Amino acid sequence: MRERDVEAALVAAVHACGGLALKFTSPGRRSVPDRVVILPDLPVVFVECKAPGAKPTAAQAREHKRIENAGGRVFVIDSVDAARRLPGGF
């Protein structure tokens, strides 16, 4: 299984709940999370998708911390099961 499989499962699960899983890029800012997830009646969160067992790079971890320090939430998921559970799990 690859990271793209985890990301595809996340997008499908979020869409099934009536939400959006927007691809996130930030010009001039590297290592941002892969997706911004917006679900009805829930806070907006950022999601980093990884291949099974993979961890965020040091640069990604620093960016996640910056987002969290500003009041955002970042989830790191590394399995299709976690991707499917996320829309109901935060």
Side-chain angles (χ1 to χ4, degrees), residues 1-6 50-52 78-81:
M1 182 180 308
R2 295 180 169 192
E3 179 177 318
R4 70 178 175 210
D5 300 320
V6 174
K50 303 304 277 180
D78 69 349
S79 72
V80 168
D81 287 340

Side-chain angles (χ1 to χ4, degrees), residues 5 8 17-18 20 22 26 35 41 43 58 61 66 68-69 73 78:
D5 300 320
C17 293
L20 301 171
L22 305 173
S26 181
R35 297 279 172 169
D41 302 319
R66 285 184 184 121
E68 290 167 349
N69 287 344
R73 292 187 70 187
D78 69 349

Side-chain angles (χ1 to χ4, degrees), residues 24 33 46 62-74:
F24 182 42
F46 297 88
R62 281 192 304 273
E63 195 62 29
H64 297 173
K65 193 67 169 165
R66 285 184 184 121
I67 291 168
E68 290 167 349
N69 287 344
R73 292 187 70 187
V74 180

Side-chain angles (χ1 to χ4, degrees), residues 11-90:
V11 171
V14 170
H15 287 176
C17 293
L20 301 171
L22 305 173
K23 185 71 174 169
F24 182 42
T25 59
S26 181
R29 192 94 180 170
R30 297 179 60 178
S31 304
V32 296
D34 298 308
R35 297 279 172 169
V36 177
V37 173
I38 305 167
L39 288 161
D41 302 319
L42 291 171
V44 173
V45 297
F46 297 88
V47 180
E48 180 70 46
C49 297
K50 303 304 277 180
K55 302 293 181 204
T57 65
Q60 288 171 328
R62 281 192 304 273
E63 195 62 29
H64 297 173
K65 193 67 169 165
R66 285 184 184 121
I67 291 168
E68 290 167 349
N69 287 344
R73 292 187 70 187
V74 180
F75 291 90
V76 178
I77 57 172
D78 69 349
S79 72
V80 168
D81 287 340
R84 290 178 181 152
R85 285 191 312 267
L86 184 86
F90 66 91

